[in-house]
């Protein structure tokens, strides 16, 4: 940028000037924002504000989706809206879901009809969840990530009921694991490990009981590992991993695991590394055929709505993952540095106060 105003001098009206014009054009990113329910709209608004404060131009289109929208007009998500969302550079989502105990919305209707429809419909087959913090069990900080398969496993929806409501009722819920789905997830984990502080991939599964699915995952990891000789490889049963995550999380680099194990482990990992209020996630379509979606790991937290207590840091960290995805690494690094520096208390300064404090430190 020129520091002085006025017309460019002949000397600057050359190559540099064209580069500057190009830079301005490429830094406009078209982002769909789904604030959603509970604290979702408040934390995404702060995330957008912090990103804009770095000079990044976000062209935001708001989509009103979630429990409130469903209760108003019955709309969840149709194919036309899904295709529209697919065209954006990225989607930033706050949280989806009714308050606990709200019986007006059947359990799973929004989760399956909205969030999973987005994940499956946009083929967001990676759920990347990085964790960084100083766990109680360690004197020093640790940095690891969960690469969660995001379109298969028990989430795929295989199963059904027979003789509903009778004493002979049957309910099945299968886990779908395709060679294709497992392999693309495992490959992503190894690629990620190459540039991770600790170049190590740990498969977490339950191969001693889930012998069919576990065997497929284990064979794929062993096979893909041969192509990455510089990456250390490990395996743990999911129950043992729960102990290690609490007692020695520094042993991990990248954890690769199926959809359900990844869901459960990421709440534990969030709690261990400073609280779920910081945990971010990227639902990625690495092929970039569809827009990717960025959201905090936490939920709608209806109990603290309107109390100015929602921590926007998970949404802000998710926005950093979005900036990585669209190639704005410098802006992401600046925000991450401000977050690392931040020592305020949301209970004292409030939701917008946290964002103000970060913007001051940018
Ligand atoms: C998450 C959430 C979702 C999931 C729910 C809301 C469907 O817990 O993103 O971790 O289970 O994946
Ligand atoms: Mn979860």
């Amino acid at each position: 940028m020129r520091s002085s105003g006025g017309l460019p001098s002949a000397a600057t009206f050359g190559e540099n000037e064209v580069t500057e014009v190009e830079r301005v054009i490429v830094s406009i990113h078209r982002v769909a924002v789904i604030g959603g329910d509970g604290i979702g709209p408040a934390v995404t608004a702060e995330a957008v504000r912090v990103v804009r404060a770095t000079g990044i131009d976000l062209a935001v289109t708001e989509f009103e989706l979630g429990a409130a929208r469903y209760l108003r007009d019955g709309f969840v998500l149709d194919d036309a809206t899904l295709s529209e969302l697919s065209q954006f550079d990225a989607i930033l989502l706050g949280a989806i879901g009714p308050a606990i105990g709200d019986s007006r919305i059947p359990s799973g209707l929004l989760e399956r009809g909205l969030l999973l429809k987005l994940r499956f419909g946009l083929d967001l087959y990676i759920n990347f969840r990085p964790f960084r913090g100083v766990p109680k069990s360690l004197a020093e900080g640790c940095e690891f990530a969960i690469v969660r398969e995001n379109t298969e496993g028990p989430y795929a929806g295989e199963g059904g009921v027979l003789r509903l409501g009778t004493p002979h009722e049957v309910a099945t819920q299968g886990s779908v694991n395709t060679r294709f789905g497992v392999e693309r997830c495992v490959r992503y984990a190894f690629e990620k490990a190459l540039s991770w502080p600790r170049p190590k991939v740990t498969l977490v599964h339950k191969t001693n009981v889930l012998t069919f699915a576990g065997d497929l995952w284990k064979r794929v990891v062993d096979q893909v590992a041969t192509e990455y000789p510089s990456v250390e490889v490990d395996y743990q049963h999911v129950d043992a991993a729960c102990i290690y995550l609490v007692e020695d999380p520094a042993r991990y680099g990248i954890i690769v695991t199926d959809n359900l194990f990844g869901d459960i482990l990421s709440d534990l990992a969030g709690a261990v590394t400073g609280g779920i209020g910081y945990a971010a996630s990227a639902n990625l379509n690495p092929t970039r055929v569809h827009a990717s979606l960025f959201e905090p790991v936490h939920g709608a937290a209806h109990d603290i709505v309107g109390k100015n207590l929602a921590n926007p840091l998970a949404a802000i960290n998710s926005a950093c993952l979005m900036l990585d995805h669209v190639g704005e690494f410098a802006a992401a690094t600046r925000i991450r540095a401000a977050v690392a520096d931040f020592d305020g208390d949301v209970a004292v300064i409030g939701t917008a106060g946290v964002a103000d404090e970060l913007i001051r430190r940018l």
Side-chain angles (χ1 to χ4, degrees), residues 143 189-202 228-234 251-254:
E143 187 170 5
F190 274 93
E191 279 298 316
K192 203 77 202 173
L194 286 177
S195 58
W196 199 255
R198 180 156 196 188
K200 176 177 176 183
V201 169
T202 304
Y228 295 85
S230 63
V231 176
E232 197 188 334
V233 187
D234 198 5
R251 70 168 55 221
Y252 297 114
I254 304 289

Side-chain angles (χ1 to χ4, degrees), residues 11-358:
T12 60
F13 197 76
E15 220 176 283
N16 292 345
E17 197 66 16
V18 174
T19 308
E20 176 67 9
V21 169
E22 280 172 352
R23 196 197 68 76
V24 169
I25 291 169
V26 297
S27 71
I28 299 173
H29 301 286
R30 294 169 51 254
V31 175
V33 172
I34 306 171
D37 302 309
I39 62 171
V43 295
T44 45
E46 297 308 331
V48 167
R49 198 157 68 85
V50 171
V51 170
R52 283 182 170 152
T54 66
I56 298 290
D57 198 353
L58 296 185
V60 165
T61 307
E62 302 258 2
F63 286 76
E64 198 203 339
L65 300 169
R69 172 73 190 272
Y70 173 74
L71 289 172
R72 201 181 73 225
D73 62 10
F75 185 85
V76 181
L77 177 66
D78 61 9
D79 290 344
T81 309
L82 186 67
S83 322
E84 204 185 329
L85 287 165
S86 164
Q87 307 302 314
F88 282 84
D89 295 326
I91 304 164
L92 191 63
L93 187 144
I96 297 294
I100 293 167
D102 185 338
S103 55
R104 293 172 298 172
I105 308 181
S107 178
L109 187 135
L110 292 171
E111 290 81 352
R112 286 213 163 269
L114 181 47
L115 194 56
L116 298 190
K117 183 162 177 162
L118 286 165
R119 289 179 184 169
F120 297 174
L122 303 178
D123 200 20
L124 306 174
Y125 61 87
I126 298 297
N127 198 325
F128 177 69
R129 297 181 159 184
F131 299 93
R132 191 180 195 172
V134 186
K136 291 195 183 74
S137 58
L138 296 177
E140 292 182 349
C142 65
E143 187 170 5
F144 61 93
I146 296 178
V147 169
R148 164 185 176 189
E149 200 293 319
N150 212 30
T151 55
E152 303 190 341
Y155 279 66
E158 196 226 37
V161 292
L162 280 174
R163 305 192 288 262
L164 180 67
T166 74
H168 300 280
E169 182 167 343
V170 179
T172 66
Q173 196 106 44
S175 174
V176 173
N177 299 264
T178 68
R179 168 86 205 191
F180 172 77
V182 172
E183 186 169 334
R184 65 183 181 171
C185 177
V186 167
R187 285 194 178 279
Y188 182 89
F190 274 93
E191 279 298 316
K192 203 77 202 173
L194 286 177
S195 58
W196 199 255
R198 180 156 196 188
K200 176 177 176 183
V201 169
T202 304
L203 169 64
V204 173
H205 209 282
K206 187 75 184 173
T207 55
N208 54 342
V209 174
L210 305 180
T211 50
F212 309 130
D215 182 52
L216 173 58
W217 276 87
K218 183 76 172 59
R219 275 184 290 112
V220 170
V221 166
D222 290 346
Q223 185 204 320
V224 172
T226 62
E227 297 169 35
Y228 295 85
S230 63
V231 176
E232 197 188 334
V233 187
D234 198 5
Y235 169 81
Q236 280 164 8
H237 293 322
V238 64
D239 44 354
C242 290
I243 298 176
Y244 293 131
L245 270 174
V246 172
E247 293 190 344
D248 183 22
R251 70 168 55 221
Y252 297 114
I254 304 289
I255 292 173
V256 66
T257 190
D258 92 343
N259 209 340
L260 183 58
F261 294 147
D263 176 49
I264 298 165
L265 289 178
S266 52
D267 272 25
L268 178 58
V272 163
T273 52
I276 201 77
Y278 297 86
S281 79
N283 295 257
L284 300 170
N285 179 294
T287 67
R288 295 177 186 263
V289 171
H290 303 290
S292 291
L293 182 153
F294 302 83
E295 55 167 340
V297 174
H298 66 65
H302 287 270
D303 52 328
I304 57 166
V305 172
K307 296 186 180 162
N308 203 18
L309 283 175
N311 188 347
L313 286 173
I316 291 165
N317 287 335
S318 302
C320 287
L321 293 171
M322 176 180 85
L323 290 173
D324 290 342
H325 186 72
V326 299
E328 297 287 3
F329 303 111
T333 302
R334 281 174 66 200
I335 298 174
R336 286 190 176 109
V339 170
D341 231 32
F342 173 75
D343 54 6
D345 183 351
V346 66
V348 178
I349 60 178
T351 306
V354 173
D356 289 340
E357 193 57 34
L358 294 182

